Amino acid sequence: MAAVVALMALVAVLATTSALGAHGRRSARTASDFLVASRGVTPWWNASAICGEYISAAAFLGSAGLVLAYGADVLWLPIAATAGYVLVLAFVTAPLRRSGAYTVSDFAEWRLGSRTVRRIVTGCVCLVGWFYLLPQFQGAGVTLRVLTGAPLWVGWAVVVGVALLLTITGGMRGVTAVQAVQFWLKLAAVAIPAAVLVVVWNLGGGSDPVTGAAPHFEQATRVRVRTEAAVLVPAAVTVTAHGEIDGVHRDDETVPLAPGRHAIGAGADIVFPAGSAVPHAERLPVQDGATWATPFGRGQPHALFDTYSALLGVLLGTMGLPHILMRFYTSTSGAAARRTAAFVPVLLALFYLFPALYGMLGRLYVPELLVTGDTDATLLTLPRRMVPGSGGALLTGLIAAGAFAAFISTSCGIVVALAGTISQCARRRGGIRAFRAGAVLAVAAPLPVLPKIGPQGAADLVTLALTVSACSLCPLLVLGIWWRGLTAAGAAAGLLTGGGLATAAAITHLLTAPWTGWAMTVLARPAAIVAPLACAVMIAVSLLTRARVPRRAHRALMRLHLPDDRPVR
């Protein structure tokens, strides 16, 4: 029944999305409509749309999964994601809107007068956008697989098709309505089931995950391992297994597992007895309740650097996200852009109250997700486990609707930003046809990488995108808006250094064999090293080429910082 309800929820989301997109398409006729909705979006509507596209697969599925696995450490990520908008409000929104640019690439060329810098910025925007699309596609595949058993590629195809259709037919004007309405759908989709599940937990006398021991199975539990995995068994346990265990095929045999590492073959079914400690995927930790609830308590190598570097990457990366910045270009004025940015942290803080609740409940009711490492399925699995029958199926359907709203709205925003950037770079005056061609390229480029990245969590993938943004576009925007001395050579050097190193680290982390020690930590979380380095390179090269500061730099900064009703002389 859950699969049927989930498919009905998906159909409902697609129907609503199509209706909203059709409404926007009727008024999308010019290039300005497609790129920036003719700069006529009101602050509250724009803030809802920004939250709609920012609450992606990482926020909707990944946050709860990370709390399940890592505990209090990862609560810094939603805090940083929300706090990033305070920096956006303080340093970026109003000046960027006053520049009159359509995209970040337009701003770079207008500020520095260099087509070379424009091309480099376009490359950075594409890299950030493509990294950000990966978890949306992957999350859609995981959602349909968990709920219906469909292959991963079915979810990818649904999101790619819908995002592409909405973008090429309605552009920014059509996407705005979709994103604004879907934010409230996503909020309801996490809030209503969370309220029900917390009541069930209280009435059922559920244990406290903070004061309890390490996770254990409350009852005999069957775990199906879909892909080959290495797990760590914390205490000796005897299981019933069907499939390959440590290289030996078992046929519903009783198998003793000693403490330590064990290899589980793809498709293996393992039944763990009630009361046994939960094994966990090699890349995930297991701690007792007190440690799990304590920041920096997960016992991972270099946990302090890992946490602060991830925090810095998310905080600074938010300032440079092209699909978020492009929404501020749709505001009616710089003051309206500033008001929009002020609303966003309030709405995001409201949403982020709920993923932590799901992570806490998941530790109690679906700890087997630690075995497979499929922690992104926490939200999708919990309702059926805690509320058996039709009630759980209905709650699962509501969550599935919100999940697909997250994938679609975020994908649409990214594709619009990439299509606008590519079209403006490919043809000097862009045009609707170039915009549509850019949209096709935007969704097609990351698809070949999807089958190769393995079972990466959505939040980890989004953090990589934010890190590339933090190390390239963020320094450019902050220095370009606030420092007259920035030169084209300095900007180019900083972008190539920061963007190149962050991208190399991300690709190495995704596509190569697992690293260990400091190498693993720095490759996964390089922002604390690369972002300051990119900024330092940008400043140093600009000082060395100070004679090449654009002549119009003073006038450009006046335009960026004078109130909207003041003329630039």
Side-chain angles (χ1 to χ4, degrees), residues 162-520:
V162 174
L164 189 58
L165 178 64
L166 286 173
T167 303
I168 65 177
T169 56
M172 181 64 82
R173 186 176 288 278
V175 165
T176 295
V178 172
Q179 292 172 334
V181 171
Q182 286 188 345
F183 165 72
W184 298 102
L185 171 62
K186 286 183 272 191
L187 183 61
V190 293
I192 295 172
V196 174
L197 297 182
V198 168
V199 170
V200 170
W201 171 57
N202 275 289
L203 293 179
S207 57
D208 187 344
V210 174
T211 58
H216 63 278
F217 293 110
E218 301 264 349
Q219 56 191 2
T221 303
R222 178 181 296 274
V223 179
R224 180 174 178 80
V225 181
R226 296 180 181 272
T227 60
E228 185 176 325
V231 300
L232 299 178
V233 175
V237 62
T238 300
V239 302
T240 302
H242 180 87
E244 189 174 291
I245 307 292
D246 291 329
V248 179
H249 184 79
R250 309 286 184 171
D251 190 7
D252 292 326
E253 301 175 24
T254 300
V255 180
L257 297 180
R261 185 181 188 274
H262 296 270
I264 311 296
D269 274 316
I270 306 174
V271 179
F272 290 91
S276 60
V278 178
H280 57 93
E282 193 171 25
R283 63 186 176 84
L284 300 177
V286 167
Q287 315 96 348
D288 60 37
T291 306
W292 174 82
T294 304
F296 316 124
R298 56 176 151 153
Q300 291 290 88
H302 318 298
L304 189 64
F305 175 88
D306 183 86
T307 299
Y308 276 109
S309 191
L311 176 67
L312 186 66
V314 174
L315 188 68
L316 298 181
T318 301
M319 296 177 66
L321 287 180
H323 60 291
I324 299 298
L325 295 176
M326 198 167 186
R327 291 230 57 93
F328 292 112
Y329 303 137
T330 67
S331 298
T332 55
S333 64
R338 202 180 292 275
R339 286 195 297 273
T340 297
F343 287 139
V344 171
V346 178
L347 298 180
L348 287 180
L350 181 62
F351 175 87
Y352 276 122
L353 290 173
F354 300 102
L357 285 175
Y358 285 100
M360 177 271 291
L361 294 173
R363 186 173 171 87
L364 300 176
Y365 293 97
V366 289
E368 67 270 18
L369 296 178
L370 293 170
V371 180
T372 62
D374 199 10
T375 54
D376 282 355
T378 303
L379 264 75
L380 304 168
T381 311
L382 260 176
R384 289 178 290 171
R385 181 64 55 83
M386 295 183 66
V387 186
S390 58
L394 290 173
L395 293 177
T396 301
L398 181 57
I399 291 175
F404 268 92
F407 309 144
I408 291 169
S409 59
T410 302
S411 298
C412 286
I414 297 168
V415 174
V416 167
L418 294 183
T421 300
I422 293 169
S423 65
Q424 292 292 97
C425 184
R427 292 178 55 185
R428 194 66 184 91
R429 294 189 175 274
I432 295 175
R433 183 176 298 178
F435 177 88
R436 288 170 173 163
V440 173
L441 176 60
V443 297
L447 291 179
V449 181
L450 272 174
K452 301 177 182 178
I453 60 176
Q456 296 285 335
D460 285 337
L461 291 172
V462 166
T463 302
L464 294 178
L466 287 164
T467 298
V468 176
S469 171
C471 298
S472 56
L473 300 178
C474 176
L476 172 74
L477 288 168
V478 172
L479 294 176
I481 290 172
W482 294 96
W483 185 40
R484 180 183 177 277
L486 182 66
T487 65
L495 288 166
L496 291 173
T497 300
L501 290 176
T503 301
I507 293 174
T508 304
H509 175 66
L510 286 177
L511 301 181
T512 63
W515 295 63
T516 58
W518 270 108
M520 176 190 69

